[in-house]
Amino acid sequence: MKERRKPTRLRDYGLQSERLLWPGKGPGAFEQEVGVDQLEERLMLTTVEKAVRWSQANSIWPDTFGLACCAIEMMSIVSSRYDIARFGAEVFRSSPRQADLLIVSGRVSHKMAAPLRQIYDQMLEPKWVIAMGACASSAGMFNNYAVLQGVDKIVAVDIYVPGCPPRPEMLVEGIVRLQERIKAGVPPAYDVRGVAS
Amino acid sequence: MLRTSRGPRIAPERTWAVIDPSILRGEQPIYAGTKIPHPIPSILGLPDELRDSEDVMQVNFGPNHPSTHGVLRLVVDLLGEEIVGLRAVIGYLHTGFEKNMEAKTWWKAITYPARIDYLSFQANELVFVLAIEKLLGLEPPPKATWMRTLLCELNRLHSHLVWLGTSALEIGAISMFWYCFRERDQILDLSELVTGARMHTRYFQAGGLADDIPRGFYDECRKFTDWMPKAVDDYEGLIDRNAIWLERTRGIGVLSAEDAVALGQSGPILRASGVDWDLRKRDPYLAYGEVDFDVPVYTHGDVYDRYRVHMEEMRQSTRIVAQCLDRLEDMQGEPWIADDRKVVLPPREELHTSMESLIHHFKIVTEGYRVPEGEVYVVIESPRGENGCYVVSDGGPRPWRVKFRAPSFVATPAAATLCRGALVADLIAIVGSLDTVMGEVDR
Amino acid sequence: MVEPGELLETCRRLRDEEGFNFLSDITATDYLGWQTGPEGVAGYYGTHTGRDLNAPGSWGLAALPDAKPKRFSVSYHLLKLVDGAPRLRVQVWVDDGEAVPSVVGIWPTADWHEREAWDMMGIPFEGHPNLVRILMDDDWEGHPLRKDYPLGGEPVRFSEEE
């Protein structure tokens, strides 16, 4: 009786390789290069979720939602000194249908709250929200009749970046932390809080 | 055509008809040949023949739009690509500044004006602080005056750079954005060196400056003023003679001088229409009377002339900054804030020894200094034009009424006059050239 | 200071004969509570619960400010575009609800300034072609900058307001 070999071949895992389909074929060029018995060790195996999360995190496209002073600092992270294209935010899409991330930068007045919610609803899931600046996080210095006291009253916020206005590096740190959050598997804020998205 | 401030024309000759009551009732335009729509000057209405036409489409350039102005909503009636009706809706950034400032002491209220016009933050702080000083009768020391001039001119550069970067971006010259923001970051570095914050510094105080100028500032600023003219040459080399830029900005959005004055325009828009008016020359405040600079005036009043005015102003601002630096280097070691202890915080070393300083410090921080009763209207030339602050004080520690006259607030309705007969692509160029900042418009 | 009835004539004369062809600003000011004492010299209360966070500890003024003729003042800031920039302030005093004639026919720039004065203070301008709300929502009730309108906002946590 032949001894049971350790599973090293693809067919031992239940996968078909082209050798089964073409019985007379020898090892392919790739296998020859990697080593006939080392193919399974050398390849990276991962779950689909992790791969998807990795790609989501590293290609977040923000939506142009600059309202006030923080918008100017947000524009400066697009500029060459604090470049966020190197973090994957290659373009700022102006259409919410094409954007993943809504960076609410600036004070949100009550009149603007309705368009903000409309834009947020138009974004496709999964979507994340960064409340940039003190005014978006909690109305900042404007505790009055005209300003919505924190944008988390109408949308679910993932990351709050404080400051008035926050330095561009702070916003980049916020985006990097969001990327880490996504890669770690934390669902977007509307899932966490159980609210409508 | 460039004219310096010694040009012939200051105010346009009055061509207005003698007012008869029908003009006052809005039944006739203010003068013959005007492009200002009537009866409502800020709304371009549909002409009668198109009112029931099915070809007219109303499009909403909503508060959130790809161009980078901020939250301006334009409701535009389009006949094909041509604009036949225009109405601007604002208020999406209304923050209630004036009411909030009435609830804070004078000292705390200085943090608010910077956020109104967030591109030229020092200019807003300056106008409020000048108003307080005028009511108090307080005179800041010369070092503070010169440093304020320098920072205001740096702010003018900052504002024009952001304007140029974003307007060019909207018209399509995308690479200007990156060039302009490179210099803008240098200016903000200087600002951070002096005040500790990139934007919205609370550096101007009633009586002078909040703190002394650090030692490394003069060299850094000198490097910047040496580099800046070459940078402006770069920008001009990119777009000034570019055929596409000329096509898209020449002859677009023409505003005559009489219309500009009637519409209350000021700043680059007025100067591009041929009216030689700059408050820094006509009614000098701060140290502008002692600084040598020219004021660019162009005559056509189109988008291209406004762009040329901005570029020339950038060069002149660099000149002013260099001259202020020269004066400031001689003034090192002088006081940077006035001596009046009832208004100005005493230096911290004194608090350990002098009881009176402690009491002054306590009163100023808790209750706030009192500003004598009165009302005052102070105007400066901000990068956008005439920025004014009307302050009413009742003698107490808090302002009674603060009103900011924002130049963008009067520039936005001018879009209705300028966009008559324009195409959609021109609308973007025109609204960009008006240099509106929505924080100012909505306050 | 000018009476509302004479305003148009005065402005026309200022513009045509004196040469003040530039209207810089129209400001409306509410003087409700102008002379009240220590309760809050600015007349109204700072937060939504009615407590004033910055109430001065002591009044200590030797004299209260002079009384104003009526509740609202509308100030027109005019400018002459000549060397030296001479400025002029024309003030009109009105009560609540009293209308002021609109100067849109004289200086078209007054359009939005007057709309803002109407929106924020509730001063109606007679003859204005388009007197609707400009800064607040179209269906907002109340005139926010009046002294009897609360500042609004939320109570700050861990402060004495809760």
Side-chain angles (χ1 to χ4, degrees), chain B residues 147-429:
Chain B
M147 189 58 181
R148 283 178 178 178
T149 316
L150 190 148
L151 283 176
C152 273
E153 288 307 307
L154 276 183
N155 222 219
R156 191 178 307 267
L157 275 167
H158 171 263
S159 174
H160 285 335
L161 280 169
V162 176
W163 169 82
L164 184 62
T166 53
S167 294
L169 177 70
E170 288 156 25
I171 296 184
I174 303 182
S175 43
M176 287 301 291
F177 180 77
W178 272 270
Y179 280 84
C180 291
F181 273 63
R182 178 188 61 184
E183 265 71 53
R184 179 200 168 236
D185 266 320
Q186 287 185 18
I187 296 180
L188 289 181
D189 280 345
L190 285 174
S191 179
E192 196 185 3
L193 182 62
V194 178
T195 69
R198 280 162 58 105
M199 288 172 70
H200 299 330
T201 69
R202 198 226 344 98
Y203 195 53
F204 296 162
Q205 294 290 318
L209 308 170
D211 215 337
D212 200 4
I213 307 171
R215 259 173 302 165
F217 174 70
Y218 303 102
D219 297 324
E220 291 292 323
C221 203
R222 190 69 70 183
K223 278 191 239 168
F224 176 73
T225 51
D226 291 334
W227 162 249
M228 192 63 193
K230 299 182 204 127
V232 179
D233 287 335
D234 270 345
Y235 309 145
E236 289 188 342
L238 266 180
I239 53 178
D240 208 27
R241 297 253 180 277
N242 188 322
I244 301 180
W245 182 259
L246 292 175
E247 274 281 329
R248 283 211 60 181
T249 55
R250 271 242 156 101
I252 306 288
V254 179
L255 186 66
S256 70
E258 292 81 16
D259 273 345
V261 173
L263 282 171
Q265 301 305 311
S266 50
I269 302 174
L270 193 60
R271 290 195 277 281
S273 294
V275 180
D276 179 8
W277 182 254
D278 188 337
L279 275 173
R280 297 176 290 167
K281 285 279 190 201
R282 302 283 164 210
D283 187 16
Y285 56 98
L286 290 184
Y288 286 108
E290 301 166 43
V291 179
D292 196 27
F293 65 103
D294 295 319
V295 172
V297 177
Y298 286 80
T299 46
H300 296 287
D302 55 10
V303 173
Y304 184 69
D305 277 353
R306 282 177 224 133
Y307 149 77
R308 296 279 333 138
V309 168
H310 279 105
M311 300 303 283
E312 275 303 315
E313 279 189 8
M314 279 205 257
R315 288 187 199 280
Q316 301 299 324
S317 290
T318 321
R319 262 176 83 183
I320 300 178
V321 170
Q323 290 173 52
C324 290
L325 259 188
D326 292 332
R327 281 295 283 264
L328 278 171
E329 276 175 343
D330 297 329
M331 285 199 250
Q332 291 189 49
E334 284 188 22
W336 60 92
I337 198 164
D339 238 341
D340 186 354
R341 290 302 161 79
K342 292 221 180 343
V343 173
V344 169
L345 286 179
R348 290 203 79 98
E349 307 85 56
E350 271 188 32
L351 292 182
H352 298 295
T353 47
S354 157
M355 188 60 193
E356 206 179 272
S357 299
L358 197 62
I359 298 177
H360 281 310
H361 183 102
F362 179 74
K363 285 293 260 187
I364 292 177
V365 171
T366 52
E367 186 187 345
Y369 50 81
R370 290 171 195 280
V371 172
E373 189 208 335
E375 53 189 26
V376 71
Y377 182 63
V378 172
V379 190
I380 64 165
E381 181 84 18
S382 87
R384 252 147 228 99
E386 185 165 304
N387 196 344
C389 179
Y390 175 65
V391 172
V392 177
S393 163
D394 59 351
R398 280 173 297 163
W400 180 267
R401 171 87 167 104
V402 184
K403 166 84 166 27
F404 285 90
R405 189 263 186 203
S408 305
F409 186 67
V410 291
T412 310
T417 312
L418 293 176
C419 292
R420 196 189 274 273
L423 302 178
V424 172
D426 298 334
L427 170 72
I428 309 294

Side-chain angles (χ1 to χ4, degrees), chain A residues 64 81 107 109 111 144 167, chain B residues 90 92 95 100 189 192:
Chain A
T64 53
R81 195 191 274 198
R107 44 197 188 255
S109 68
K111 200 166 174 182
N144 59 24
R167 279 194 66 105
Chain B
I90 61 169
Y92 290 96
T95 322
N100 234 145
D189 280 345
E192 196 185 3

Side-chain angles (χ1 to χ4, degrees), chain A residues 20-21 28 32 36 76 94 98 101 106 121 125 129 131 142-143 163 190:
Chain A
L20 284 181
L21 299 171
Q32 278 177 335
V36 169
S76 77
S94 22
Q98 299 166 3
L101 173 66
D121 287 335
E125 294 170 23
V129 175
F142 302 114
N143 190 9
Y190 51 84

Side-chain angles (χ1 to χ4, degrees), chain A residues 114-183:
Chain A
L116 168 62
R117 183 68 209 186
Q118 255 189 333
I119 300 273
Y120 181 74
D121 287 335
Q122 285 176 352
M123 283 167 73
L124 304 174
E125 294 170 23
K127 55 191 172 184
W128 294 272
V129 175
I130 289 187
M132 175 186 178
C135 293
S137 312
S138 68
M141 55 163 72
F142 302 114
N143 190 9
N144 59 24
Y145 62 94
V147 174
L148 187 66
Q149 303 290 306
V151 84
D152 50 3
K153 295 209 186 295
I154 50 175
V155 298
V157 176
D158 291 88
I159 303 264
Y160 296 86
V161 180
C164 192
R167 279 194 66 105
E169 288 106 330
M170 282 170 68
L171 182 59
V172 171
E173 160 87 6
I175 294 180
V176 166
R177 287 213 192 175
L178 180 65
Q179 287 181 345
E180 287 169 13
R181 221 175 116 107
I182 300 173
K183 282 190 248 199

Side-chain angles (χ1 to χ4, degrees), chain C:
Chain C
M1 296 220 305
V2 164
E3 290 297 314
E6 313 168 359
L7 179 68
L8 283 181
E9 186 50 42
T10 317
C11 287
R12 187 206 65 77
R13 198 163 50 82
L14 281 171
R15 194 195 82 175
D16 289 329
E17 287 155 36
E18 309 280 344
F20 284 95
N21 52 359
F22 192 92
L23 173 68
S24 187
D25 191 20
I26 301 180
T27 306
T29 313
D30 183 0
Y31 287 98
L32 185 69
W34 177 247
Q35 278 187 314
T36 53
E39 278 86 35
V41 66
Y44 77 101
Y45 299 97
T47 66
H48 80 299
T49 50
R51 239 206 83 209
D52 199 341
L53 290 176
N54 288 315
S58 68
W59 187 222
L61 254 198
L64 286 176
D66 294 329
K68 299 286 176 182
K70 289 190 182 176
R71 182 174 169 189
F72 292 104
S73 85
V74 182
S75 313
Y76 296 78
H77 293 101
L78 306 174
L79 167 66
K80 208 193 285 199
L81 293 181
V82 294
D83 242 336
R87 290 182 187 271
L88 186 69
R89 184 185 306 136
V90 178
Q91 272 190 338
V92 180
W93 293 88
V94 286
D95 273 322
D96 198 357
E98 206 179 312
V100 175
S102 163
V103 295
V104 173
I106 307 177
W107 296 288
T109 178
D111 182 3
W112 274 24
H113 288 295
E114 289 180 352
R115 268 178 78 181
E116 193 198 338
W118 157 245
D119 189 7
M120 292 281 116
M121 286 286 189
I123 298 173
F125 285 87
E126 202 184 299
H128 191 278
N130 187 28
L131 198 68
V132 295
R133 291 210 174 249
I134 187 172
L135 292 178
M136 306 306 300
D137 264 326
D138 290 329
D139 48 0
W140 194 269
E141 283 176 16
H143 297 282
L145 270 175
R146 291 192 170 193
K147 293 292 183 184
D148 44 5
Y149 193 93
L151 182 57
E154 275 187 344
V156 178
R157 290 176 74 183
F158 312 118
S159 70
E160 290 131 358
E161 289 165 47
E162 286 190 306

